[in-house]
């Protein structure tokens, strides 16, 4: 028995040795970050500006950052230069998204009328609608930004709203919550003012390089002072649409991941245009027919741009004729168009539809297919609207409470909603056609639901109720109050109750609502017949 146990232990030890799994060696992957958030913001802003000269300068100055094989970073061989063209697509995308979003932003709804009047005064003073257009464009390009509130009674009796783009802002988080916003303002000679906005305070620091300087000794900042107020109030509100995947706590630009696609689109378009220039018709002229300078008789040199004529050898053969011939190479337009459309699709994927930009790249698409493509624009617009509806009320509350601080009043809670109208897709005509199909036969939608679906926030409630009434009147549907017999019904109920009590004959008073004419015509008799159960 002991021998059997020893054999079992040996088998177990053998199995353990045989099944032993060695852990994998850890791998160390090091990736060098070539750009910080500020450099990425500057790169996106240059793409938004849409100047090809600036793009080429940026990529040539940032050799360690830029891929040397990118189109805008490449250099042409001397003597074989080509024209580099920027399509301007990034700027067009940003402007279109901002316009289709802010055009439908309606008036803000407040719970209290006093707050609405206060915000209206602040809004008119700061031209907030125009400022919001600039802010939304910067947020989409850079990734984020901050609205800061300035209280300067010498400039305005109301709080002043100023927009600061994201490349001049830093955020301080604690446990994932925003605790402080640092706004950087550059001055001459390398001086930078750091304004720290926190809950209940505004603190300023002036640096020259890495050295702290005295604010009072610098002329541009000697009038700036620190502030302290209620700890529940922060006079700066950040705005961002997307989260940044590379820099935690920062906003994401819609250009993230699309820069290489923009570069490829510019290359495809530039090559196409270069092929068109190289494929111009060339005229070969015998030397005897070459145009001469009328002053000295020398042969004119052809223009390198057009190459309208090229000298050819004179034909000296028997029965030969010196003829002018024209040659033009075949340009593969279909191949260039396919490359351009593919590059364009990569640039727009997940952001905006080509039909929103007015681009018709598929000639065979019908109206329904075009509307389906508009869903990409709707998704992006919905993300922008959701972010604005969540973050702008914080700015409005801070502005109204800053007004209370100036007036030395107590802070208050501000409840405001920001309604947005429906994006014009599908078209009004197609909506009418679709909703009309829900009424014939079995009615699947009420008139109220159809009016609400068709007009949404574009019309107020009073107008929509009037429209519902007009539609019902045209269809013969009339709304009336519930019928009531009034005092006659009360007398009838009382008489029936008296008839069931004892032997005393019930009191049959005349109904108060019966006129003398009704009595003469038998109206009262009809009521008595009704009480007795007779028709």
């Amino acid at each position: 028995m002991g021998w059997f146990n020893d054999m079992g232990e040996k088998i177990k030890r053998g199995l353990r040795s045989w099944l032993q799994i060695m852990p994998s060696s850890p791998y160390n992957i090091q990736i060098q970050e070539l750009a910080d958030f500020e450099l990425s913001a500057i790169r996106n802003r240059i793409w938004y500006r849409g100047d090809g000269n600036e793009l080429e300068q940026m990529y040539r100055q940032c050799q360690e950052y830029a891929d040397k094989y990118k189109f805008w970073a490449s250099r042409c061989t001397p003597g074989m230069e080509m024209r580099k063209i920027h399509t301007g697509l990034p700027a067009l995308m940003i402007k279109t998204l901002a316009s289709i979003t802010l055009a439908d932003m309606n008036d803000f709804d407040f719970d209290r009328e006093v707050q609405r009047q206060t915000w209206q005064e602040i809004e008119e003073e700061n031209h907030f609608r125009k400022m919001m257009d600039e802010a939304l464009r910067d947020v989409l390009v850079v990734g984020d930004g901050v609205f800061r509130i300035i209280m300067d009674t010498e400039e305005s009796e109301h709080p002043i709203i100023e927009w600061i783009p994201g490349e001049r802002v830093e955020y301080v988080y604690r446990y994932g919550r925003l605790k402080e916003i640092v706004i950087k303002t550059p001055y001459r000679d390398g001086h930078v003012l750091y304004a720290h906005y926190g809950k209940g305070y505004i603190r300023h620091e002036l640096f020259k390089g890495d050295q702290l300087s005295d604010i009072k000794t610098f002329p541009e900042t000697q009038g700036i002072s620190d502030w302290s107020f209620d700890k529940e109030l922060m006079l700066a509100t950040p705005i961002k649409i997307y989260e940044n995947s590379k820099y935690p706590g920062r906003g994401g630009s819609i250009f993230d991941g699309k820069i290489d696609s923009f570069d490829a689109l510019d290359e495809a378009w530039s090559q196409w245009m270069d092929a068109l220039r190289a494929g111009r018709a060339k005229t070969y002229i015998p030397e005897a027919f070459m145009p001469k300078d009328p002053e000295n008789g020398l042969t004119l040199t052809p223009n390198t741009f057009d190459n309208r004529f090229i000298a050819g050898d004179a034909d000296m053969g028997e029965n030969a004729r010196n003829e002018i011939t024209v040659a033009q190479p075949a340009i593969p337009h279909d191949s260039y168009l396919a490359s351009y459309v593919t590059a364009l699709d990569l640039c727009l994927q997940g952001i905006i539809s080509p039909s929103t930009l007015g681009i018709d790249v598929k000639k065979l698409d019908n109206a329904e297919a075009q509307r389906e493509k508009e869903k990409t624009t709707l998704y992006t617009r919905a993300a922008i609207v959701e972010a604005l509806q969540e973050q702008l009320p914080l700015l409005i509350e801070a502005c109204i409470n800053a007004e209370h601080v100036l007036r030395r009043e107590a802070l208050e809670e501000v409840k405001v909603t920001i309604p947005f109208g429906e994006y014009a897709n599908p078209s009004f005509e197609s909506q009418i056609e679709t909703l009309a199909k829900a009424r014939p036969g079995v009615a699947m939608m009420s008139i109220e639901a159809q009016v609400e679906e068709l007009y949404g926030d574009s019309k107020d409630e009073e107008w929509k109720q009037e429209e519902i009434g007009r539609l019902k009147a045209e269809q013969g549907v009339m709304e009336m109050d519930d019928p009531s017999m009034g005092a006659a019904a009360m007398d009838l109920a009382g008489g029936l109750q008296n008839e069931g009590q004892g032997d005393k004959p019930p009191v049959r008073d005349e109904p108060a609502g019966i006129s003398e004419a009704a009595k003469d015509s038998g109206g009262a008799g009809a009521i008595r017949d009704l009480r007795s159960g007779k028709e």
Side-chain angles (χ1 to χ4, degrees), residues 132-412:
M132 191 63 215
D133 182 69
E134 176 189 358
L136 182 56
R137 294 185 186 187
D138 284 344
V139 169
L140 293 174
V141 173
V142 176
D144 57 35
V146 170
F147 282 109
R148 74 171 176 180
I149 302 170
I150 303 172
M151 295 184 291
D152 189 349
T153 55
E154 295 181 358
E155 296 291 337
S156 174
E157 60 180 1
H158 299 291
I160 301 173
I161 305 175
E162 183 182 10
W163 167 252
I164 307 296
E167 63 264 30
R168 290 175 47 199
V169 178
E170 294 180 359
Y171 302 99
V172 178
Y173 289 91
R174 184 181 181 185
Y175 306 123
R177 300 180 179 181
L178 181 63
K179 292 298 180 181
E180 191 176 77
I181 299 174
V182 183
I183 298 176
K184 297 173 289 186
T185 304
Y187 291 101
R188 58 180 175 85
D189 300 332
H191 289 82
V192 180
L193 177 66
Y194 290 81
H196 300 260
Y197 284 76
K199 290 186 176 181
Y201 66 90
I202 302 176
R203 181 168 49 87
H204 300 87
E205 293 177 341
L206 182 65
F207 281 87
K208 184 178 182 180
D210 296 334
Q211 300 295 326
L212 182 63
S213 303
D214 187 5
I215 293 180
K216 301 302 180 181
T217 58
F218 192 65
E220 283 81 355
T221 61
Q222 61 183 359
I224 297 177
S225 59
D226 296 341
W227 283 72
S228 61
F229 36 83
D230 196 293
K231 293 185 178 181
E232 297 181 358
L233 178 61
M234 178 185 288
L235 296 182
T237 303
I239 302 293
K240 64 180 178 180
I241 308 299
Y242 302 103
E243 294 292 337
N244 200 309
S245 58
K246 292 180 62 177
Y247 311 102
R250 301 307 302 259
S253 169
I254 65 171
F255 292 167
D256 292 344
K258 295 292 184 180
I259 297 299
D260 291 342
S261 299
F262 293 148
D263 187 82
L265 178 64
D266 291 345
E267 183 174 6
W269 179 246
S270 299
Q271 286 184 349
W272 192 352
M273 293 299 101
D274 186 65
L276 289 178
R277 175 173 292 185
R280 290 177 181 271
K282 296 179 177 59
T283 304
Y284 293 89
I285 305 176
E287 187 175 359
F289 295 168
M290 290 288 291
K292 303 294 192 295
D293 191 339
E295 296 182 359
N296 51 28
L298 298 178
T299 302
L300 292 177
T301 304
N303 191 325
T304 57
F305 170 71
D306 48 34
N307 284 331
R308 294 303 301 270
F309 61 89
I310 300 176
D313 295 335
D315 194 346
M316 304 299 294
E318 187 178 1
N319 298 326
R321 293 184 304 172
N322 290 325
E323 296 180 347
I324 298 175
T325 59
V326 179
Q328 183 173 9
I331 300 174
H333 293 278
D334 294 339
S335 300
Y336 282 117
L337 177 60
S339 301
Y340 172 79
V341 171
T342 303
L344 180 64
D345 287 341
L346 291 175
C347 293
L348 303 182
Q349 279 180 1
I351 299 178
I352 194 171
S353 169
S355 56
T356 306
L357 300 176
I359 301 174
D360 185 14
V361 296
K362 304 292 191 302
K363 300 296 184 180
L364 300 179
D365 283 354
N366 53 24
E368 183 178 358
Q370 292 289 344
R371 287 196 298 270
E372 288 297 321
K373 291 179 180 179
E374 284 285 322
K375 289 184 177 180
T376 304
T377 304
L378 289 175
Y379 299 150
T380 305
R381 181 182 180 275
I384 299 173
V385 169
E386 182 181 0
L388 295 181
Q389 287 178 335
E390 179 182 354
Q391 299 167 20
L392 282 185
L394 302 178
L395 170 65
I396 297 172
E397 182 177 9
C399 290
I400 294 177
N401 284 325
E403 182 83 11
H404 292 321
V405 171
L406 289 175
R407 298 175 182 177
R408 301 184 182 276
E409 299 174 352
L411 304 185
E412 62 179 358

Side-chain angles (χ1 to χ4, degrees), residues 386-503:
E386 182 181 0
L388 295 181
Q389 287 178 335
E390 179 182 354
Q391 299 167 20
L392 282 185
L394 302 178
L395 170 65
I396 297 172
E397 182 177 9
C399 290
I400 294 177
N401 284 325
E403 182 83 11
H404 292 321
V405 171
L406 289 175
R407 298 175 182 177
R408 301 184 182 276
E409 299 174 352
L411 304 185
E412 62 179 358
E413 183 181 4
V414 179
K415 293 183 179 181
V416 56
T417 57
I418 303 177
F420 280 82
E422 298 294 333
Y423 177 50
N425 177 63
S427 64
F428 189 79
E429 293 79 6
S430 61
Q431 277 187 307
I432 293 178
E433 181 181 359
T434 303
L435 294 176
K437 295 178 181 179
R439 290 297 300 178
V442 180
M444 302 299 296
M445 293 180 67
S446 64
I447 296 178
E448 291 81 356
Q450 285 185 328
V451 172
E452 182 65 31
E453 183 69 22
L454 185 60
Y455 296 100
D457 293 333
S458 60
K459 300 291 185 180
D460 55 21
E461 287 297 327
E462 182 180 357
W463 187 93
K464 286 187 287 188
Q465 292 300 324
E466 293 176 355
E467 180 69 10
I468 292 171
R470 288 189 290 266
L471 290 174
K472 288 184 176 181
E474 291 179 359
Q475 299 178 15
V477 180
M478 298 297 294
E479 293 186 356
M480 300 180 64
D481 296 335
D482 294 336
S484 175
M485 296 182 64
M490 297 298 297
D491 293 339
L492 174 60
L496 294 176
Q497 183 177 4
N498 293 334
E499 288 180 357
Q501 295 179 358
D503 299 333

Side-chain angles (χ1 to χ4, degrees), residues 108 110 112-121 400:
F108 303 159
F110 291 84
R112 299 178 57 187
E113 180 64 21
V114 176
Q115 296 176 351
R116 188 193 66 80
Q117 294 178 357
T118 303
W119 168 250
Q120 187 175 3
E121 295 175 359
I400 294 177

